[in-house]
Amino acid sequence: MKKSLLIVFGILAVLLVVLSWGVSTNNTLVQMDENTKEKWSQVENVYQRRADLIPNLVSTVKGYAKHEASVLEQVTKARAQVGQLRVTGPGELQKFDEAQGQLTQALSRLLVVAERYPELKADRSFLELQSQLEGTENRISIERRRFNEAAREYNSYVRRFPQALIASLRNFREKPYFAADAGAQNAPKVEF
């Protein structure tokens, strides 16, 4: 009788340890998932800041460069496309990143146009907007890096055994990473 009672207590103790581990692992997965969502939200926040600066930049340049309508239109169109995208899954991150890349290219063309107008380059509001845009681009880079770090930590945890068992049971999936644009490894060619 004592031996069977010890076996029952032993089994209960093992079940309690396994259950405690499962709950702890699940809670860690939830915490890490929320951390990556928070990091992603911050990425969206800095992209929104950039999108909010664009109309001011466009209207400032418009006053000086009236005949550069095609560039201004490209920037406005790219901004509108970015504003329509929402990332809810891994495949959509690539579309989001491509749209942001198109907006970045359009902004670069706009700044090249602005270089052609000395009076615009000296305009205080333009210089301030350009400075804010540069700061925002730096923030975007930092927040993307932070998101990738959180995604790496989360993905490593989700894929490790035995946490992978709980992750698959609770439908926790790997998060996608931001990647460099194609050709980013090549240095830009500068000619004078």
Side-chain angles (χ1 to χ4, degrees), residues 18-151:
V18 169
L19 181 65
S20 294
W21 168 81
V23 168
S24 174
T25 299
N26 181 70
N27 291 343
T28 300
L29 284 165
V30 168
Q31 179 184 7
M32 294 176 91
D33 184 50
E34 288 301 314
N35 185 42
T36 57
K37 287 177 184 175
E38 183 255 335
K39 299 293 187 206
W40 174 250
S41 178
Q42 189 57 27
V43 168
E44 287 182 322
N45 182 33
V46 291
Y47 275 127
Q48 183 62 50
R49 182 179 192 276
R50 176 170 75 171
D52 292 344
L53 287 172
I54 290 170
N56 296 329
L57 187 64
V58 167
S59 65
T60 302
V61 173
K62 217 182 250 187
Y64 286 94
K66 291 183 173 126
H67 64 281
E68 303 285 357
S70 65
V71 173
L72 299 171
E73 186 179 309
Q74 289 171 356
V75 171
T76 304
K77 182 180 175 185
R79 180 184 177 271
Q81 287 175 339
V82 164
Q84 295 172 357
L85 291 174
R86 292 289 171 250
V87 177
T88 57
E92 294 160 342
L93 179 64
Q94 184 177 359
K95 291 177 188 174
F96 180 85
D97 203 25
E98 287 171 2
Q100 291 292 346
Q102 290 172 354
L103 180 57
T104 299
Q105 289 174 356
L107 283 171
S108 295
R109 287 190 294 276
L110 179 67
L111 293 175
V112 167
V113 166
E115 288 293 316
R116 295 185 202 144
Y117 297 90
E119 61 278 358
L120 174 60
K121 288 190 327 186
D123 184 76
R124 185 171 173 229
S125 61
F126 175 77
L127 292 173
E128 187 177 313
L129 285 167
Q130 190 175 15
S131 175
Q132 286 184 23
L133 199 56
E134 288 172 12
T136 299
E137 294 300 323
N138 289 335
R139 289 177 185 173
I140 288 170
S141 176
I142 289 167
E143 296 305 333
R144 285 175 58 153
R145 179 183 52 81
R146 288 178 180 165
F147 172 79
N148 279 349
E149 289 170 353

Side-chain angles (χ1 to χ4, degrees), residues 4-16:
S4 63
L5 195 58
L6 284 174
I7 291 173
V8 168
F9 280 132
I11 291 172
L12 287 175
V14 168
L15 287 175
L16 185 61

Side-chain angles (χ1 to χ4, degrees), residues 161-173:
F161 183 82
Q163 294 93 308
L165 298 173
I166 301 295
S168 66
L169 287 173
R170 297 276 292 126
N171 204 26
F172 286 98
R173 301 283 179 242

